[in-house]
């Protein structure tokens, strides 16, 4: 088995969650608990911040110290705030809203994906002892 990147693992878990029966069975709170957990684990690995045991505002504060776009930060805030409403305020968003949040969660992971370093040319300086 190939080892998945941090991003691919998060996307796989988000897709599995989305394909699960939690929403169809009316388990909105459980769905958003899992969604939040997936993203928090991702943030810990990707941005090296404490996220799993942190509040949404603590996560957003930690992310302000990182070099991420305001657009990405806004998406993260929107998804985590929605998850918090569903988890703690017993809010039951309509299905289109849940789909939108799931798509936003995937967009966060894609947008946060680190850029790959340029490929090294074969036989450059290192092999010439420069």
């Amino acid at each position: 088995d190939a080892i998945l990147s941090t991003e691919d693992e998060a996307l796989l878990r988000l897709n599995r969650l989305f394909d699960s029966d939690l929403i169809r069975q009316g388990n909105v709170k459980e769905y958003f608990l899992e969604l939040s957990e997936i993203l928090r684990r991702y943030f810990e690995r990707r941005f090296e911040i404490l996220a799993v045991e942190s509040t949404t505002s603590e996560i957003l504060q930690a992310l302000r110290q990182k070099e991420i776009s305001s657009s990405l930060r806004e998406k993260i805030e929107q998804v985590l705030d929605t998850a918090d409403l569903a988890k703690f305020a017993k809010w039951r968003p309509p299905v289109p809203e849940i789909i939108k949040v799931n798509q936003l969660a995937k967009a966060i992971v894609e947008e946060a994906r680190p850029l790959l370093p340029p490929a090294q040319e074969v036989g450059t300086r290192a092999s010439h002892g420069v």
Side-chain angles (χ1 to χ4, degrees), residues 33-49:
L33 277 165
E34 181 66 20
L35 179 82
S36 181
E37 179 79 9
I38 292 167
L39 286 177
R40 288 164 186 268
R41 285 180 191 274
Y42 173 70
F43 298 151
E44 283 199 354
R45 292 178 65 194
R46 172 63 180 90
F47 298 114
E48 298 175 349
I49 62 170

Side-chain angles (χ1 to χ4, degrees), residues 83-92:
D84 286 349
L85 280 173
K87 289 175 352 190
F88 305 120
K90 296 181 173 59
W91 178 60
R92 296 181 64 85

Side-chain angles (χ1 to χ4, degrees), residues 45-101:
R45 292 178 65 194
R46 172 63 180 90
F47 298 114
E48 298 175 349
I49 62 170
L50 291 175
V52 173
E53 300 297 326
S54 300
T55 65
T56 294
S57 58
E58 288 167 341
I59 292 169
L60 295 172
Q61 186 64 41
L63 288 173
R64 283 187 192 97
Q65 314 304 314
K66 305 292 176 178
E67 288 188 24
I68 64 172
S69 69
S70 57
S71 149
L72 179 57
R73 223 178 5 259
E74 286 168 17
K75 286 183 181 97
I76 291 169
E77 186 171 3
Q78 187 177 349
V79 170
L80 292 180
D81 282 349
T82 301
D84 286 349
L85 280 173
K87 289 175 352 190
F88 305 120
K90 296 181 173 59
W91 178 60
R92 296 181 64 85
V95 172
E97 179 75 14
I98 295 170
I99 292 169
K100 181 179 156 202
V101 170

Side-chain angles (χ1 to χ4, degrees), residues 4-12 42 46 109-110 112-114:
L4 294 176
S5 71
T6 302
E7 287 71 28
D8 290 341
E9 182 183 330
L11 290 170
L12 180 69
Y42 173 70
R46 172 63 180 90
V109 175
E110 288 294 354
R113 189 183 289 271

Side-chain angles (χ1 to χ4, degrees), residues 9-24:
E9 182 183 330
L11 290 170
L12 180 69
R13 293 183 68 204
L14 286 170
N15 284 327
R16 280 186 187 151
L17 174 64
F18 195 60
D19 293 339
S20 76
D21 286 336
L22 287 175
I23 296 301
R24 281 186 289 283

